[in-house]
């Protein structure tokens, strides 16, 4: 996942989800369904395993295939994930986005420290 485009989209999803990993996953899934470049960037590290598994499944001996077809298929319910509309192109440069991510959550601490300083100064008067 060395693709800077993929990394930027992951960071963008984290920002859009306000740090929620679960929500960021939902956002990325929706974007990947509409964006081939993002999908390829996400899948690339796992492509060899996907291909190997597919070859294994297709080339199983006929006896193994008949055993698996006799068994009832297991159906796993898949939750419908709302597909968000693709966001307009990011206006932030990668450096600005990196800085914004590094500053996330720091504003609260600064405000608290400022309030404490004000209280301390008022108390000293």
């Amino acid at each position: 996942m060395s693709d800077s485009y993929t990394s930027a989209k992951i960071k963008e999803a984290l920002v859009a989800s306000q740090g929620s990993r679960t929500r960021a996953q939902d956002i990325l899934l929706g974007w990947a369904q509409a964006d081939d470049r993002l999908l390829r960037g996400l899948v690339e590290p796992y492509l060899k395993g996907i291909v190997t598994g597919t070859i294994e499944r297709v080339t199983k001996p006929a006896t193994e295939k008949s055993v698996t077809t006799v068994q009832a298929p297991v159906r796993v319910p898949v939750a419908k994930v709302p597909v968000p509309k693709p966001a307009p192109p990011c206006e932030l440069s990668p450096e600005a986005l990196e800085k914004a991510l590094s500053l996330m959550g720091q504003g609260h601490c600064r405000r608290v420290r400022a309030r404490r300083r004000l209280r301390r100064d008022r108390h000293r008067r």
Side-chain angles (χ1 to χ4, degrees), residues 1-9 37-38 40-42 44:
M1 199 170 9
S2 62
D3 184 13
S4 61
Y5 176 75
T6 304
S7 298
K9 292 302 266 184
R37 184 175 172 195
L38 176 60
R40 288 174 191 229
L42 292 170
E44 185 178 5

Side-chain angles (χ1 to χ4, degrees), residues 5 7-8 17 23-26 31 36-37 45-46 53 55 62 66 71 80-81 84 86 92 103 106-107 114-115 121:
Y5 176 75
S7 298
S17 68
R23 183 69 185 129
Q25 289 173 5
D26 292 342
W31 289 348
D36 284 342
R37 184 175 172 195
Y46 309 100
I55 296 290
S66 64
Q71 297 172 349
K80 293 286 184 177
V81 177
L92 292 176
L103 294 175
Q106 292 182 5
R115 278 192 225 129
D121 291 345

Side-chain angles (χ1 to χ4, degrees), residues 8 11 89-101:
K11 290 175 185 175
C90 184
E91 299 295 325
L92 292 176
S93 67
E95 294 82 17
L97 184 59
E98 195 67 42
K99 183 177 179 181
L101 286 171

Side-chain angles (χ1 to χ4, degrees), residues 2-3 11 28 35 37 44 58 70 79 84 102 105 108-110:
S2 62
D3 184 13
K11 290 175 185 175
L28 272 174
D35 185 346
R37 184 175 172 195
E44 185 178 5
V58 170
V70 172
S102 70
H108 173 73
C109 293
R110 288 181 183 167

Side-chain angles (χ1 to χ4, degrees), residues 52-74:
T52 303
T54 304
I55 296 290
E56 290 290 321
R57 183 178 48 85
V58 170
T59 58
K60 279 185 182 178
T63 57
E64 288 181 28
K65 286 182 183 177
S66 64
V67 170
T68 57
T69 55
V70 172
Q71 297 172 349
V74 177

